[in-house]
Amino acid sequence: IGVTSLETEIDYRKLQFFGQLCRLPNKYNAKQLFVNRLLRYLSDDKQTLGFIPDIYRILTKYDLYNYLVNYSKTAIFPSKYAWKYILRQKVLIHYSNTMLMRLGDKMGPSYGMNIFSINRPCFLWQLSRHNVLQQCHY
């Protein structure tokens, strides 16, 4: 029905929170704790539970690991709006592509890809945005 899975939504929210922590000023204790645990995790002190291992797994899953490496080396992170755009591109499109592949496998390649496509608004909605509403009745 075109709704993202709960796992994808949770991953998306965790990545948003990760971005907020990375952009937080250094004067806050939460930022110092986050950076300390992140650097310890990256320097072979691999804990198995918690936020940092989850973020590491999620960043690897959605091919965003290079932002973690860049942040750990230079302490530079994208702005709030740039990060949200990156997340929409990587996380939500990854989910759509995965669903299309699963449907294609179950229904066969000739049916699955022709029936289902990446979620886009119906052309009638686009028509109503560009034309006067009265013209859409016809």
Side-chain angles (χ1 to χ4, degrees), residues 17-39 51-52 71-72 74-78:
F17 183 64
F18 170 70
Q20 291 172 352
L21 284 174
C22 290
R23 288 187 305 275
L24 194 65
N26 287 331
K27 65 181 180 180
Y28 293 103
N29 290 336
K31 170 73 176 245
Q32 294 171 4
L33 178 67
F34 167 70
V35 170
N36 183 12
R37 289 195 177 183
L38 178 66
L39 294 178
F51 182 70
I52 301 297
Y71 178 74
S72 66
T74 64
I76 297 173
F77 199 77

PDB file of all heavy atoms in Angstrom, residues 17-39 51-52 71-72 74-78:
ATOM      1  N   PHE A  17      18.375  11.485  14.718  1.00  0.00           N
ATOM      2  CA  PHE A  17      18.939  11.770  16.035  1.00  0.00           C
ATOM      3  C   PHE A  17      20.464  11.786  15.989  1.00  0.00           C
ATOM      4  O   PHE A  17      21.101  12.631  16.631  1.00  0.00           O
ATOM      5  CB  PHE A  17      18.428  10.741  17.052  1.00  0.00           C
ATOM      6  CG  PHE A  17      18.890  10.997  18.452  1.00  0.00           C
ATOM      7  CD1 PHE A  17      18.510  12.138  19.129  1.00  0.00           C
ATOM      8  CD2 PHE A  17      19.701  10.083  19.090  1.00  0.00           C
ATOM      9  CE1 PHE A  17      18.942  12.378  20.424  1.00  0.00           C
ATOM     10  CE2 PHE A  17      20.129  10.306  20.384  1.00  0.00           C
ATOM     11  CZ  PHE A  17      19.748  11.454  21.054  1.00  0.00           C
ATOM     12  N   PHE A  18      21.045  10.872  15.229  1.00  0.00           N
ATOM     13  CA  PHE A  18      22.500  10.856  15.041  1.00  0.00           C
ATOM     14  C   PHE A  18      22.968  12.191  14.461  1.00  0.00           C
ATOM     15  O   PHE A  18      23.971  12.757  14.911  1.00  0.00           O
ATOM     16  CB  PHE A  18      22.880   9.697  14.128  1.00  0.00           C
ATOM     17  CG  PHE A  18      24.299   9.707  13.659  1.00  0.00           C
ATOM     18  CD1 PHE A  18      25.337   9.446  14.528  1.00  0.00           C
ATOM     19  CD2 PHE A  18      24.601   9.984  12.336  1.00  0.00           C
ATOM     20  CE1 PHE A  18      26.652   9.455  14.093  1.00  0.00           C
ATOM     21  CE2 PHE A  18      25.907   9.988  11.886  1.00  0.00           C
ATOM     22  CZ  PHE A  18      26.937   9.733  12.774  1.00  0.00           C
ATOM     23  N   GLY A  19      22.248  12.704  13.482  1.00  0.00           N
ATOM     24  CA  GLY A  19      22.596  14.001  12.900  1.00  0.00           C
ATOM     25  C   GLY A  19      22.497  15.125  13.912  1.00  0.00           C
ATOM     26  O   GLY A  19      23.332  16.030  13.948  1.00  0.00           O
ATOM     27  N   GLN A  20      21.482  15.078  14.767  1.00  0.00           N
ATOM     28  CA  GLN A  20      21.336  16.098  15.801  1.00  0.00           C
ATOM     29  C   GLN A  20      22.495  16.054  16.784  1.00  0.00           C
ATOM     30  O   GLN A  20      23.009  17.098  17.202  1.00  0.00           O
ATOM     31  CB  GLN A  20      20.015  15.913  16.545  1.00  0.00           C
ATOM     32  CG  GLN A  20      18.793  16.228  15.712  1.00  0.00           C
ATOM     33  CD  GLN A  20      17.506  15.850  16.416  1.00  0.00           C
ATOM     34  OE1 GLN A  20      17.513  15.218  17.469  1.00  0.00           O
ATOM     35  NE2 GLN A  20      16.387  16.237  15.826  1.00  0.00           N
ATOM     36  N   LEU A  21      22.915  14.850  17.159  1.00  0.00           N
ATOM     37  CA  LEU A  21      24.050  14.730  18.083  1.00  0.00           C
ATOM     38  C   LEU A  21      25.338  15.236  17.440  1.00  0.00           C
ATOM     39  O   LEU A  21      26.152  15.874  18.110  1.00  0.00           O
ATOM     40  CB  LEU A  21      24.226  13.273  18.512  1.00  0.00           C
ATOM     41  CG  LEU A  21      23.237  12.742  19.530  1.00  0.00           C
ATOM     42  CD1 LEU A  21      23.459  11.248  19.745  1.00  0.00           C
ATOM     43  CD2 LEU A  21      23.358  13.493  20.847  1.00  0.00           C
ATOM     44  N   CYS A  22      25.517  14.952  16.176  1.00  0.00           N
ATOM     45  CA  CYS A  22      26.744  15.393  15.511  1.00  0.00           C
ATOM     46  C   CYS A  22      26.801  16.918  15.378  1.00  0.00           C
ATOM     47  O   CYS A  22      27.888  17.500  15.418  1.00  0.00           O
ATOM     48  CB  CYS A  22      26.849  14.758  14.130  1.00  0.00           C
ATOM     49  SG  CYS A  22      27.179  12.986  14.181  1.00  0.00           S
ATOM     50  N   ARG A  23      25.668  17.560  15.228  1.00  0.00           N
ATOM     51  CA  ARG A  23      25.635  19.019  15.083  1.00  0.00           C
ATOM     52  C   ARG A  23      25.540  19.758  16.415  1.00  0.00           C
ATOM     53  O   ARG A  23      25.635  20.981  16.455  1.00  0.00           O
ATOM     54  CB  ARG A  23      24.455  19.423  14.192  1.00  0.00           C
ATOM     55  CG  ARG A  23      24.642  19.081  12.736  1.00  0.00           C
ATOM     56  CD  ARG A  23      23.526  19.648  11.889  1.00  0.00           C
ATOM     57  NE  ARG A  23      22.213  19.227  12.345  1.00  0.00           N
ATOM     58  CZ  ARG A  23      21.619  18.087  12.005  1.00  0.00           C
ATOM     59  NH1 ARG A  23      22.234  17.262  11.197  1.00  0.00           N
ATOM     60  NH2 ARG A  23      20.418  17.785  12.460  1.00  0.00           N
ATOM     61  N   LEU A  24      25.358  19.041  17.504  1.00  0.00           N
ATOM     62  CA  LEU A  24      25.239  19.649  18.825  1.00  0.00           C
ATOM     63  C   LEU A  24      26.552  20.337  19.204  1.00  0.00           C
ATOM     64  O   LEU A  24      27.639  19.806  18.938  1.00  0.00           O
ATOM     65  CB  LEU A  24      24.908  18.546  19.845  1.00  0.00           C
ATOM     66  CG  LEU A  24      24.415  18.959  21.217  1.00  0.00           C
ATOM     67  CD1 LEU A  24      23.064  19.649  21.104  1.00  0.00           C
ATOM     68  CD2 LEU A  24      24.287  17.726  22.085  1.00  0.00           C
ATOM     69  N   PRO A  25      26.493  21.524  19.806  1.00  0.00           N
ATOM     70  CA  PRO A  25      27.736  22.196  20.225  1.00  0.00           C
ATOM     71  C   PRO A  25      28.502  21.373  21.261  1.00  0.00           C
ATOM     72  O   PRO A  25      27.925  20.621  22.046  1.00  0.00           O
ATOM     73  CB  PRO A  25      27.238  23.510  20.840  1.00  0.00           C
ATOM     74  CG  PRO A  25      25.893  23.730  20.242  1.00  0.00           C
ATOM     75  CD  PRO A  25      25.321  22.370  20.013  1.00  0.00           C
ATOM     76  N   ASN A  26      29.803  21.546  21.290  1.00  0.00           N
ATOM     77  CA  ASN A  26      30.679  20.760  22.155  1.00  0.00           C
ATOM     78  C   ASN A  26      30.514  21.059  23.643  1.00  0.00           C
ATOM     79  O   ASN A  26      30.994  20.296  24.472  1.00  0.00           O
ATOM     80  CB  ASN A  26      32.145  20.976  21.765  1.00  0.00           C
ATOM     81  CG  ASN A  26      32.475  20.288  20.469  1.00  0.00           C
ATOM     82  OD1 ASN A  26      31.877  19.273  20.128  1.00  0.00           O
ATOM     83  ND2 ASN A  26      33.403  20.857  19.726  1.00  0.00           N
ATOM     84  N   LYS A  27      29.845  22.128  23.991  1.00  0.00           N
ATOM     85  CA  LYS A  27      29.726  22.488  25.405  1.00  0.00           C
ATOM     86  C   LYS A  27      28.765  21.577  26.168  1.00  0.00           C
ATOM     87  O   LYS A  27      28.765  21.571  27.397  1.00  0.00           O
ATOM     88  CB  LYS A  27      29.285  23.943  25.557  1.00  0.00           C
ATOM     89  CG  LYS A  27      27.903  24.229  25.028  1.00  0.00           C
ATOM     90  CD  LYS A  27      27.559  25.694  25.187  1.00  0.00           C
ATOM     91  CE  LYS A  27      26.152  25.958  24.643  1.00  0.00           C
ATOM     92  NZ  LYS A  27      25.787  27.348  24.788  1.00  0.00           N
ATOM     93  N   TYR A  28      27.970  20.790  25.464  1.00  0.00           N
ATOM     94  CA  TYR A  28      27.001  19.919  26.129  1.00  0.00           C
ATOM     95  C   TYR A  28      27.622  18.574  26.486  1.00  0.00           C
ATOM     96  O   TYR A  28      28.389  18.004  25.724  1.00  0.00           O
ATOM     97  CB  TYR A  28      25.776  19.702  25.231  1.00  0.00           C
ATOM     98  CG  TYR A  28      24.981  20.962  25.023  1.00  0.00           C
ATOM     99  CD1 TYR A  28      25.072  21.663  23.833  1.00  0.00           C
ATOM    100  CD2 TYR A  28      24.157  21.454  26.024  1.00  0.00           C
ATOM    101  CE1 TYR A  28      24.347  22.824  23.633  1.00  0.00           C
ATOM    102  CE2 TYR A  28      23.433  22.608  25.843  1.00  0.00           C
ATOM    103  CZ  TYR A  28      23.533  23.292  24.645  1.00  0.00           C
ATOM    104  OH  TYR A  28      22.817  24.441  24.474  1.00  0.00           O
ATOM    105  N   ASN A  29      27.253  18.073  27.672  1.00  0.00           N
ATOM    106  CA  ASN A  29      27.773  16.780  28.127  1.00  0.00           C
ATOM    107  C   ASN A  29      27.322  15.634  27.230  1.00  0.00           C
ATOM    108  O   ASN A  29      28.063  14.668  27.041  1.00  0.00           O
ATOM    109  CB  ASN A  29      27.326  16.506  29.563  1.00  0.00           C
ATOM    110  CG  ASN A  29      28.014  17.417  30.557  1.00  0.00           C
ATOM    111  OD1 ASN A  29      29.090  17.924  30.287  1.00  0.00           O
ATOM    112  ND2 ASN A  29      27.387  17.624  31.699  1.00  0.00           N
ATOM    113  N   ALA A  30      26.116  15.731  26.684  1.00  0.00           N
ATOM    114  CA  ALA A  30      25.621  14.681  25.796  1.00  0.00           C
ATOM    115  C   ALA A  30      26.507  14.552  24.566  1.00  0.00           C
ATOM    116  O   ALA A  30      26.793  13.436  24.102  1.00  0.00           O
ATOM    117  CB  ALA A  30      24.179  14.976  25.383  1.00  0.00           C
ATOM    118  N   LYS A  31      26.975  15.672  24.055  1.00  0.00           N
ATOM    119  CA  LYS A  31      27.863  15.648  22.883  1.00  0.00           C
ATOM    120  C   LYS A  31      29.210  15.025  23.250  1.00  0.00           C
ATOM    121  O   LYS A  31      29.754  14.205  22.503  1.00  0.00           O
ATOM    122  CB  LYS A  31      28.059  17.071  22.360  1.00  0.00           C
ATOM    123  CG  LYS A  31      29.127  17.232  21.294  1.00  0.00           C
ATOM    124  CD  LYS A  31      28.683  16.661  19.967  1.00  0.00           C
ATOM    125  CE  LYS A  31      29.701  16.914  18.898  1.00  0.00           C
ATOM    126  NZ  LYS A  31      29.248  17.781  17.846  1.00  0.00           N
ATOM    127  N   GLN A  32      29.750  15.376  24.407  1.00  0.00           N
ATOM    128  CA  GLN A  32      31.037  14.829  24.825  1.00  0.00           C
ATOM    129  C   GLN A  32      30.941  13.324  25.053  1.00  0.00           C
ATOM    130  O   GLN A  32      31.834  12.574  24.655  1.00  0.00           O
ATOM    131  CB  GLN A  32      31.520  15.542  26.084  1.00  0.00           C
ATOM    132  CG  GLN A  32      31.839  17.002  25.851  1.00  0.00           C
ATOM    133  CD  GLN A  32      32.102  17.755  27.138  1.00  0.00           C
ATOM    134  OE1 GLN A  32      32.113  17.181  28.218  1.00  0.00           O
ATOM    135  NE2 GLN A  32      32.296  19.057  27.012  1.00  0.00           N
ATOM    136  N   LEU A  33      29.854  12.875  25.660  1.00  0.00           N
ATOM    137  CA  LEU A  33      29.639  11.452  25.875  1.00  0.00           C
ATOM    138  C   LEU A  33      29.492  10.709  24.548  1.00  0.00           C
ATOM    139  O   LEU A  33      30.082   9.643  24.347  1.00  0.00           O
ATOM    140  CB  LEU A  33      28.396  11.233  26.741  1.00  0.00           C
ATOM    141  CG  LEU A  33      28.013   9.790  27.025  1.00  0.00           C
ATOM    142  CD1 LEU A  33      29.071   9.129  27.903  1.00  0.00           C
ATOM    143  CD2 LEU A  33      26.658   9.733  27.688  1.00  0.00           C
ATOM    144  N   PHE A  34      28.736  11.288  23.629  1.00  0.00           N
ATOM    145  CA  PHE A  34      28.540  10.690  22.314  1.00  0.00           C
ATOM    146  C   PHE A  34      29.865  10.546  21.571  1.00  0.00           C
ATOM    147  O   PHE A  34      30.186   9.480  21.044  1.00  0.00           O
ATOM    148  CB  PHE A  34      27.549  11.534  21.510  1.00  0.00           C
ATOM    149  CG  PHE A  34      27.505  11.189  20.059  1.00  0.00           C
ATOM    150  CD1 PHE A  34      26.960   9.989  19.628  1.00  0.00           C
ATOM    151  CD2 PHE A  34      28.017  12.065  19.123  1.00  0.00           C
ATOM    152  CE1 PHE A  34      26.924   9.666  18.282  1.00  0.00           C
ATOM    153  CE2 PHE A  34      27.984  11.748  17.773  1.00  0.00           C
ATOM    154  CZ  PHE A  34      27.433  10.546  17.352  1.00  0.00           C
ATOM    155  N   VAL A  35      30.645  11.600  21.528  1.00  0.00           N
ATOM    156  CA  VAL A  35      31.927  11.565  20.812  1.00  0.00           C
ATOM    157  C   VAL A  35      32.871  10.580  21.468  1.00  0.00           C
ATOM    158  O   VAL A  35      33.569   9.813  20.783  1.00  0.00           O
ATOM    159  CB  VAL A  35      32.547  12.981  20.728  1.00  0.00           C
ATOM    160  CG1 VAL A  35      33.968  12.939  20.224  1.00  0.00           C
ATOM    161  CG2 VAL A  35      31.694  13.870  19.844  1.00  0.00           C
ATOM    162  N   ASN A  36      32.888  10.540  22.795  1.00  0.00           N
ATOM    163  CA  ASN A  36      33.754   9.610  23.520  1.00  0.00           C
ATOM    164  C   ASN A  36      33.403   8.163  23.168  1.00  0.00           C
ATOM    165  O   ASN A  36      34.272   7.360  22.844  1.00  0.00           O
ATOM    166  CB  ASN A  36      33.634   9.850  25.026  1.00  0.00           C
ATOM    167  CG  ASN A  36      34.548   8.967  25.828  1.00  0.00           C
ATOM    168  OD1 ASN A  36      35.445   8.322  25.295  1.00  0.00           O
ATOM    169  ND2 ASN A  36      34.321   8.933  27.128  1.00  0.00           N
ATOM    170  N   ARG A  37      32.126   7.845  23.225  1.00  0.00           N
ATOM    171  CA  ARG A  37      31.711   6.463  22.911  1.00  0.00           C
ATOM    172  C   ARG A  37      31.910   6.128  21.445  1.00  0.00           C
ATOM    173  O   ARG A  37      32.254   5.002  21.103  1.00  0.00           O
ATOM    174  CB  ARG A  37      30.256   6.259  23.313  1.00  0.00           C
ATOM    175  CG  ARG A  37      30.103   6.225  24.809  1.00  0.00           C
ATOM    176  CD  ARG A  37      28.790   5.685  25.203  1.00  0.00           C
ATOM    177  NE  ARG A  37      28.721   5.601  26.654  1.00  0.00           N
ATOM    178  CZ  ARG A  37      27.716   5.111  27.297  1.00  0.00           C
ATOM    179  NH1 ARG A  37      26.675   4.645  26.649  1.00  0.00           N
ATOM    180  NH2 ARG A  37      27.716   5.064  28.606  1.00  0.00           N
ATOM    181  N   LEU A  38      31.688   7.096  20.591  1.00  0.00           N
ATOM    182  CA  LEU A  38      31.891   6.863  19.155  1.00  0.00           C
ATOM    183  C   LEU A  38      33.356   6.566  18.852  1.00  0.00           C
ATOM    184  O   LEU A  38      33.670   5.600  18.149  1.00  0.00           O
ATOM    185  CB  LEU A  38      31.421   8.072  18.351  1.00  0.00           C
ATOM    186  CG  LEU A  38      31.620   7.999  16.848  1.00  0.00           C
ATOM    187  CD1 LEU A  38      30.754   6.905  16.248  1.00  0.00           C
ATOM    188  CD2 LEU A  38      31.300   9.338  16.207  1.00  0.00           C
ATOM    189  N   LEU A  39      34.246   7.359  19.393  1.00  0.00           N
ATOM    190  CA  LEU A  39      35.676   7.142  19.135  1.00  0.00           C
ATOM    191  C   LEU A  39      36.174   5.851  19.770  1.00  0.00           C
ATOM    192  O   LEU A  39      37.014   5.161  19.189  1.00  0.00           O
ATOM    193  CB  LEU A  39      36.478   8.347  19.615  1.00  0.00           C
ATOM    194  CG  LEU A  39      36.221   9.643  18.843  1.00  0.00           C
ATOM    195  CD1 LEU A  39      37.017  10.786  19.431  1.00  0.00           C
ATOM    196  CD2 LEU A  39      36.519   9.472  17.364  1.00  0.00           C
ATOM    197  N   PHE A  51      23.370   2.533  21.360  1.00  0.00           N
ATOM    198  CA  PHE A  51      23.086   3.423  20.241  1.00  0.00           C
ATOM    199  C   PHE A  51      24.194   3.413  19.194  1.00  0.00           C
ATOM    200  O   PHE A  51      23.911   3.385  17.990  1.00  0.00           O
ATOM    201  CB  PHE A  51      22.869   4.844  20.777  1.00  0.00           C
ATOM    202  CG  PHE A  51      22.527   5.839  19.714  1.00  0.00           C
ATOM    203  CD1 PHE A  51      21.301   5.793  19.067  1.00  0.00           C
ATOM    204  CD2 PHE A  51      23.432   6.821  19.355  1.00  0.00           C
ATOM    205  CE1 PHE A  51      20.987   6.709  18.080  1.00  0.00           C
ATOM    206  CE2 PHE A  51      23.126   7.743  18.379  1.00  0.00           C
ATOM    207  CZ  PHE A  51      21.906   7.692  17.740  1.00  0.00           C
ATOM    208  N   ILE A  52      25.431   3.437  19.622  1.00  0.00           N
ATOM    209  CA  ILE A  52      26.552   3.516  18.673  1.00  0.00           C
ATOM    210  C   ILE A  52      26.609   2.279  17.762  1.00  0.00           C
ATOM    211  O   ILE A  52      26.729   2.429  16.548  1.00  0.00           O
ATOM    212  CB  ILE A  52      27.890   3.741  19.418  1.00  0.00           C
ATOM    213  CG1 ILE A  52      27.856   5.036  20.234  1.00  0.00           C
ATOM    214  CG2 ILE A  52      29.056   3.751  18.447  1.00  0.00           C
ATOM    215  CD1 ILE A  52      27.688   6.300  19.438  1.00  0.00           C
ATOM    216  N   TYR A  71      33.065  12.379   9.789  1.00  0.00           N
ATOM    217  CA  TYR A  71      32.821  13.072  11.047  1.00  0.00           C
ATOM    218  C   TYR A  71      33.869  12.712  12.096  1.00  0.00           C
ATOM    219  O   TYR A  71      34.331  13.576  12.838  1.00  0.00           O
ATOM    220  CB  TYR A  71      31.420  12.742  11.574  1.00  0.00           C
ATOM    221  CG  TYR A  71      31.135  13.401  12.884  1.00  0.00           C
ATOM    222  CD1 TYR A  71      30.882  14.770  12.961  1.00  0.00           C
ATOM    223  CD2 TYR A  71      31.142  12.671  14.063  1.00  0.00           C
ATOM    224  CE1 TYR A  71      30.644  15.377  14.171  1.00  0.00           C
ATOM    225  CE2 TYR A  71      30.890  13.279  15.275  1.00  0.00           C
ATOM    226  CZ  TYR A  71      30.649  14.634  15.325  1.00  0.00           C
ATOM    227  OH  TYR A  71      30.422  15.251  16.521  1.00  0.00           O
ATOM    228  N   SER A  72      34.260  11.444  12.156  1.00  0.00           N
ATOM    229  CA  SER A  72      35.243  11.037  13.167  1.00  0.00           C
ATOM    230  C   SER A  72      36.624  11.620  12.883  1.00  0.00           C
ATOM    231  O   SER A  72      37.405  11.827  13.805  1.00  0.00           O
ATOM    232  CB  SER A  72      35.317   9.517  13.260  1.00  0.00           C
ATOM    233  OG  SER A  72      35.836   8.977  12.073  1.00  0.00           O
ATOM    234  N   THR A  74      37.196  14.630  10.833  1.00  0.00           N
ATOM    235  CA  THR A  74      37.227  16.084  10.683  1.00  0.00           C
ATOM    236  C   THR A  74      36.224  16.827  11.564  1.00  0.00           C
ATOM    237  O   THR A  74      36.274  18.054  11.624  1.00  0.00           O
ATOM    238  CB  THR A  74      36.937  16.471   9.225  1.00  0.00           C
ATOM    239  OG1 THR A  74      35.608  16.052   8.900  1.00  0.00           O
ATOM    240  CG2 THR A  74      37.937  15.858   8.278  1.00  0.00           C
ATOM    241  N   ALA A  75      35.287  16.125  12.191  1.00  0.00           N
ATOM    242  CA  ALA A  75      34.223  16.720  13.001  1.00  0.00           C
ATOM    243  C   ALA A  75      33.323  17.638  12.175  1.00  0.00           C
ATOM    244  O   ALA A  75      32.715  18.571  12.690  1.00  0.00           O
ATOM    245  CB  ALA A  75      34.785  17.470  14.200  1.00  0.00           C
ATOM    246  N   ILE A  76      33.233  17.365  10.885  1.00  0.00           N
ATOM    247  CA  ILE A  76      32.353  18.119   9.994  1.00  0.00           C
ATOM    248  C   ILE A  76      31.186  17.223   9.622  1.00  0.00           C
ATOM    249  O   ILE A  76      31.374  16.064   9.242  1.00  0.00           O
ATOM    250  CB  ILE A  76      33.105  18.586   8.730  1.00  0.00           C
ATOM    251  CG1 ILE A  76      34.219  19.551   9.124  1.00  0.00           C
ATOM    252  CG2 ILE A  76      32.154  19.220   7.730  1.00  0.00           C
ATOM    253  CD1 ILE A  76      35.112  19.944   7.975  1.00  0.00           C
ATOM    254  N   PHE A  77      29.970  17.783   9.708  1.00  0.00           N
ATOM    255  CA  PHE A  77      28.761  17.017   9.401  1.00  0.00           C
ATOM    256  C   PHE A  77      27.829  17.897   8.588  1.00  0.00           C
ATOM    257  O   PHE A  77      27.823  19.119   8.758  1.00  0.00           O
ATOM    258  CB  PHE A  77      28.085  16.570  10.709  1.00  0.00           C
ATOM    259  CG  PHE A  77      27.136  15.437  10.531  1.00  0.00           C
ATOM    260  CD1 PHE A  77      27.607  14.145  10.372  1.00  0.00           C
ATOM    261  CD2 PHE A  77      25.773  15.653  10.497  1.00  0.00           C
ATOM    262  CE1 PHE A  77      26.737  13.083  10.201  1.00  0.00           C
ATOM    263  CE2 PHE A  77      24.898  14.604  10.332  1.00  0.00           C
ATOM    264  CZ  PHE A  77      25.376  13.315  10.178  1.00  0.00           C
ATOM    265  N   PRO A  78      27.011  17.312   7.698  1.00  0.00           N
ATOM    266  CA  PRO A  78      26.093  18.133   6.894  1.00  0.00           C
ATOM    267  C   PRO A  78      25.089  18.898   7.758  1.00  0.00           C
ATOM    268  O   PRO A  78      24.791  18.512   8.880  1.00  0.00           O
ATOM    269  CB  PRO A  78      25.367  17.102   6.015  1.00  0.00           C
ATOM    270  CG  PRO A  78      26.237  15.905   6.004  1.00  0.00           C
ATOM    271  CD  PRO A  78      26.966  15.902   7.305  1.00  0.00           C
TER     272      PRO A  78
END
